[in-house]
Every structure is written in C-alpha cells, then in structure tokens.
Amino acid sequence: MNLMAIPMSRRQAFKVMIGFGGTVASVVLPKPALASPEEHPAHPVAPPDAVAMLYDSTICTGCKACMPACNEANGLPTDTVLSGGIWDMPTGLNAKTKNIIELYQDPQSNEFAFVKKQCMHCLDPACVTGCPFGSLVKRDLGAVTWNSSLCIGCRYCEVACPFEVPQFQWDSWNPKIVKCEFCYDQRLKENLEPACTAVCPTGAVIFGKRDALLHQAKDRIAAAPGKYFESRIYGEHEAGGTQVLYLSNVSFQKIGLPKLGPTSIGHYATKVTSKIYKWLGGPILMAGVLGFVIRRNWNRHELERLEHEKKTGYPDQL
Ligand code: SF4
Ligand code: SF4
Ligand code: SF4
C-alpha cells in the first residue's frame, strides 16, 4: 500500500508515521526488557563528579532573569502566545521553555513563594529507563540529555517522568523532546556553569558539586531553625535523589513539587518489566503498550490543542 497516495492532513500523516515507527521499533529494540533491577538500585548513590543546582525559594525575588538567560543559552524562541506577541509569557514548561519561575499564592493566608521548575536531573532518571530507544542519556556530571537521532516521538519519557518535565514540539515536522539538559553542550562541557545560575542576581539558584550543595543547604537549615519547611532538602532523597535541590519556607507540595518516596522509579519500573518480559513475551507486549501510549498521547494532544485554541483564539499550527 502506498501511504503517500492516500490524501491525509499533516496531523494524520504524522500520526501514522509515529504509530508505525513506534510499533516496529519497539519490537526490534525492546530496551527496557534488557534492564535489570540490579542495574537500578532502589537508592542510587551520586557519583563523585555529580553536579547540582541548589534553589532556595526564600531568596528568589521572582525577577525571572534566569528565564531569558536559559532561552538565550539554548537558542529557544520566546513564548509570546498569551501576551499577543509582546513578551515572553509561558504558563508552564513547554517546547519553548526549559526553565520557568512560577508563583504560589494563597489569598487567604497571604502565603506566597516563587518556585523554579526545570528538569531535576534525577540520579536514576525514569525518563532514561522509560525511553525504549535510548534517546535519553545520563551523561558525565549527571546531566540528562536527549539524542534526536534515536527518538521516534513516542512520548514515553513524558509518561515516565514524575515531574512532568519533557515537552514535545508539536509545531514541528521534525519534533524534538525539549527539556533542560543542564546546559551540558552549551556550557558544562566548556567548564562554565549553567546560564540560569550564572545570571541569578540574588544567589537563589547556585551551581556546584552535589555533595557540597547538600552541605551548604544543611548549614542554612541549621542556622535558621524553623525557617525551612520540615527542615529538609527536597531532592536529597525523592525518587532516589535528584541533582536539583530545593529549600522552601512553604510546603513543597504547595509549590508544585510532587510527594515522592525515596525509591528510584527506575528500580520499580525494571522490577515490573523484568517480570512481564519473563512471563509474557516482551516484544509483543512492549509493542502493545507503546501503541497504547502513543494513541493516548495523541488523544490528549487533541484535547490540549482544542483547549489552547479556545483559550487563545490562535489556531494550532499542526
Ligand atoms: S534569576 Fe534568581 S532570583 Fe531571579 S527569578 Fe531566577 S532564581 Fe529567582
Ligand atoms: S525530572 Fe524527569 S526528565 Fe528530568 S531526569 Fe528526572 S525523569 Fe528525566
Ligand atoms: S541549566 Fe541551562 S537549560 Fe537548565 S534551566 Fe538552567 S539555563 Fe535552562
């Protein structure tokens, strides 16, 4: 059958391509089936070279200088849809926004806090375990980066990430997965710190070795009893530990950081997949699961697209 002979919209054509590509490739390359729980310890230990960011919400002024710095370092356009083309105004992480400052506000109690969101660079990243094609990789220093040549756009990484970080470029014929990569290629490789930490005028977000930043965060907690929420550091243990660490004076959940246990999600995932592959014939099941995920994501995208058009009055570009 010649697919090109059938009249179809760009959206339909892309849908066929990723559905077909996803199913075939998942049969050929069932990578998660090959990972064992032993490769993903429940409580991973950070390697000695692991770098990190420490974000202290109590020092952040919400100036947002880190946002255009991130866009510039990563060659990303501004997101001006909601501002009618005037200024950068993203409402969350998206395909043009790898780093965002959000405001939590409780009008009743007047409690408020800023929060910086970007990839957490998990010690054992669920996106890496979840990607069937190895297109997300944990690099040296601990940066989690994405490789376009291996990605088929299944969006499995989006489903796997507990922090809802990876974003799919819906308005491109050659879509990428967009997420903070710790400025690995742009700056870390050149021995430069990430753009967001380099530009922050208050030191609310700083860069360094993970061990050293954990010590520094603990010193801040000890020096100001009662100041920080639960006197603890978010990211020290969550989901097996992350390389972005948070201090806050309001609840971590209120500022949008999910409540997660100390066990690595990769560990859970490989425990489940290794059992499934042992008993149920992995490649066939994997193809089915991926087909389901792809279809579900497309349906979700249709809803997002309609909602976007209703909210902004702008037609979707696909
Ligand atoms: S540049 Fe620093 S102070 Fe300004 S919003 Fe970003 S983290 Fe907060
Ligand atoms: S926060 Fe999400 S995208 Fe980033 S490393 Fe962790 S699982 Fe991957
Ligand atoms: S490390 Fe780089 S890509 Fe990540 S949020 Fe900071 S500036 Fe953006």
Side-chain angles (χ1 to χ4, degrees), residues 273-282:
T273 52
S274 65
K275 280 201 177 72
I276 290 172
Y277 276 87
K278 194 170 168 190
W279 299 108
L280 292 176

Side-chain angles (χ1 to χ4, degrees), residues 16 27 34 37 41 51-52 67 69 106 124 219 227 238 243 264 268 314:
V16 169
V27 171
L34 306 176
V51 294
M67 289 174 57
D106 181 347
D124 183 7
D219 285 349
K227 177 179 176 184
E238 275 76 7
Q243 287 179 237
S264 129
Y268 281 129
Y314 285 82

